Amino acid sequence: MHHEQQPPASTAFLRRTGTRRAILAGGAAVAAAGAAGAAIAFGLSSNEARVQPGPGGGANNGGAGKQPTTPAAQALDIPIADPKRRAAHLLRRAGFGGTRAQIDEFAALSREEAADRLLNYSAVDNSALDSILAAANLNLVDNPRDLQRWWLMRMAFTARPLEERMTFIWHGLLTSQVSKIGGQRAKLMVIQNELFRANALPIYDTLVKAVSHDPAMLYYLDTVDSTRQHPNENYARELMELFTLGVGNYTEDDVRESARAFTGWRFSRPAKPPVDLNTLSREERREVEHRLIDEWDPKFELDTRKHDYGQKTFLGKTGPWDGDDIVGIIMEQPAAGRFICRRLFMEFAHLGPDEETLDALLKVWNDSGHDIRAIVRAILVSDEFYSERSYRALVRSPIEFMIGAIRGLEIREIGQGSVNEKAYRGMDQVLFEPPNVAGWPGGAAWLSSSTFFARVNFLDQFLFGLKGRPVALPALASASTSEDLVDQALAIFVDGNVPAQSRDALYAHARTIADARERAATVAYLVLASPEYQLI
């Protein structure tokens, strides 16, 4: 039996940010070295370092080729043995992490049963999330910060994690930026986000055609300015380079011919103000503009005067193609299937799919008529997904870092003081604001010294509040001893998979904290700041 040791210690002293940072750097945490250095070193020695990602180093790009058949490489191909570790791995990759109860539940299922439970989310009641969002009373019309908060809440509290995970994946692939679209048109990003959610597991052809018509995308990549006299090539280029085919599978002539097919593509504008806005006060004008945007339901329109109806030769086919025809021709290319199968495998499994794996997924792609649901299921039941090569093979993005903590600790409310734009902007990931059309680079780029300490700053605010009072943590409330508390936190967040000396160091430090709430928050802080938790 373990006995609590509670030497007199200053609670106020232990609350200080500097003290927790000193503990982290001093070795009481799982990260038994300097915080950022330990996390980065661990990440570089993880499975991710054993593959060769393409440009950007993240799950967005590259990474193919047969892995070497050395004994070390062969060891990575063995399956994850422990059922709970398998379940936690699945819930991290196909969602944003699970609670202890969810991990236990999924550990009792077969691969196929577990995958189908996540995939068949339309039958899952999500009304609790709807109630939470309604109570938040967020401005989704023209307030980008409320948009970000709305989606963070969706990811944190959804009962349909794969639905939100796929929405997140599509946002990172079929990218738009709210800053370019502008505050008054911010609701276009909500419309696009709901499009991704409604088409989370689509026929890919259908999704790409839908996003080609989407108002946010039309505005973001300048299709709204494209005319038959002056075709804009931005969307035509990114459609092939980043959304469907990849570099090397089209020519500059294909870009030019494709751009002609999207000319004249527009969307309806808000209604005109019923009064002269110049006669109104600033507040009155703002109210009228807000109401008009709120009532605006933008629809795709074709300006026939600006559309090029002429013959176009694209990827070897000639005809009077429009944009939908272009997407259809693209989807006939073998490169399209290989592109999206590779991308999805890298999102869910690891960065180095070999050719045999891609060939198997490409067969599913062809046999299913390009059904993303079938591709995702094939990945989630595969030996490759459940191999040691995939386990902890990816670096957590900031969103995964935050949402994993909220879901794992079973916190039911996101405080504005702790989960805000300032917190996640410092980690280099703001929802609806990827750095460019290529999305976030991901991988080791998430763990610079500055962005890692932004994660630690987030944990300070999230777990201890702006006034230093530790928050209640429902997932750890049942712990009866310091050892039980540490074991529970490690089981939730890192599958209990840490060196014995790291666990002992956490035990020892937890025993020094007299206040139960302080103890739980400190243990959560140290585990969430560990190098193991930075990998997913």
Side-chain angles (χ1 to χ4, degrees), residues 42-56:
F42 191 95
L44 293 176
S45 66
S46 72
N47 293 347
E48 185 179 287
R50 299 188 177 103
V51 300
Q52 296 298 318

Side-chain angles (χ1 to χ4, degrees), residues 288-498:
V288 170
E289 291 174 339
H290 182 91
R291 178 174 54 80
L292 292 173
I293 297 294
D294 188 26
E295 295 172 351
W296 180 33
D297 183 20
K299 300 295 185 184
F300 174 79
E301 296 179 342
L302 178 64
D303 188 334
T304 57
R305 298 168 302 168
K306 297 179 180 179
H307 179 66
D308 186 338
Y309 288 93
Q311 296 286 305
K312 308 164 187 79
T313 299
F314 175 71
L315 293 175
K317 292 196 171 186
T318 300
W321 313 130
D322 66 10
D324 287 341
D325 296 322
I326 293 296
V327 173
I329 294 170
I330 287 173
M331 290 302 167
E332 295 172 357
Q333 310 302 308
R338 212 161 194 82
F339 178 93
I340 194 61
C341 288
R342 184 194 306 277
R343 173 61 183 260
L344 290 173
F345 184 91
M346 293 167 66
E347 291 282 356
F348 287 107
H350 60 73
L351 300 183
D354 59 30
E355 292 306 310
E356 291 87 347
T357 296
L358 291 177
D359 286 343
L361 291 176
L362 189 58
K363 185 177 188 306
V364 177
W365 164 271
N366 290 326
D367 291 349
S368 68
H370 310 170
D371 188 349
I372 298 300
R373 179 185 296 272
I375 299 295
V376 172
R377 188 182 191 278
I379 294 169
L380 295 183
V381 302
S382 68
D383 291 341
E384 291 91 339
F385 176 79
Y386 280 108
S387 71
E388 291 289 350
R389 187 184 302 278
S390 288
Y391 183 69
R392 285 184 182 166
L394 305 175
V395 176
R396 281 184 192 267
S397 69
I399 296 300
E400 291 165 332
F401 177 83
M402 294 187 292
I403 301 302
I406 294 166
R407 290 181 72 91
L409 292 170
E410 301 178 39
I411 292 173
R412 302 310 302 166
E413 182 178 352
I414 297 179
Q416 286 187 338
S418 59
V419 184
N420 55 39
E421 185 184 17
K422 182 179 180 180
Y424 41 79
R425 188 173 291 278
M427 301 184 219
D428 273 359
Q429 188 172 39
V430 178
L431 292 175
F432 301 109
E433 197 59 56
N436 53 56
V437 69
W440 292 284
W446 290 132
L447 290 178
S448 68
S449 57
S450 62
T451 59
F452 184 84
F453 277 108
R455 296 184 180 212
V456 174
N457 288 337
F458 163 76
L459 293 177
D460 281 323
Q461 295 182 26
F462 173 59
L463 294 169
F464 294 88
L466 297 178
K467 296 183 179 180
R469 174 60 181 161
V471 300
L473 304 177
L476 303 178
S478 65
S480 57
T481 66
S482 292
E483 290 76 12
D484 187 28
L485 173 66
V486 169
D487 289 344
Q488 287 187 25
L490 290 174
I492 293 167
F493 293 115
V494 296
D495 310 333
N497 188 20
V498 295

Side-chain angles (χ1 to χ4, degrees), residues 156-207:
F157 304 132
T158 184
R160 303 172 174 184
L162 184 57
E163 180 180 47
E164 290 305 319
R165 167 63 74 176
M166 292 305 304
T167 304
F168 186 51
I169 288 172
W170 298 137
H171 175 50
L173 174 61
L174 307 171
T175 303
S176 299
Q177 290 175 303
V178 71
S179 60
K180 176 172 180 178
I181 290 169
Q184 283 198 322
R185 291 177 291 269
K187 74 173 289 181
L188 298 183
M189 295 299 293
V190 176
I191 293 170
Q192 185 183 85
N193 190 264
E194 294 286 21
L195 169 67
F196 292 153
R197 189 168 293 105
N199 292 273
L201 294 169
I203 303 298
Y204 196 56
D205 312 41
T206 302
L207 175 58

Side-chain angles (χ1 to χ4, degrees), residues 56-76:
N60 295 10
N61 302 290
K66 183 69 176 177
Q67 298 304 308
T69 55
T70 63
Q74 289 175 342
L76 290 175

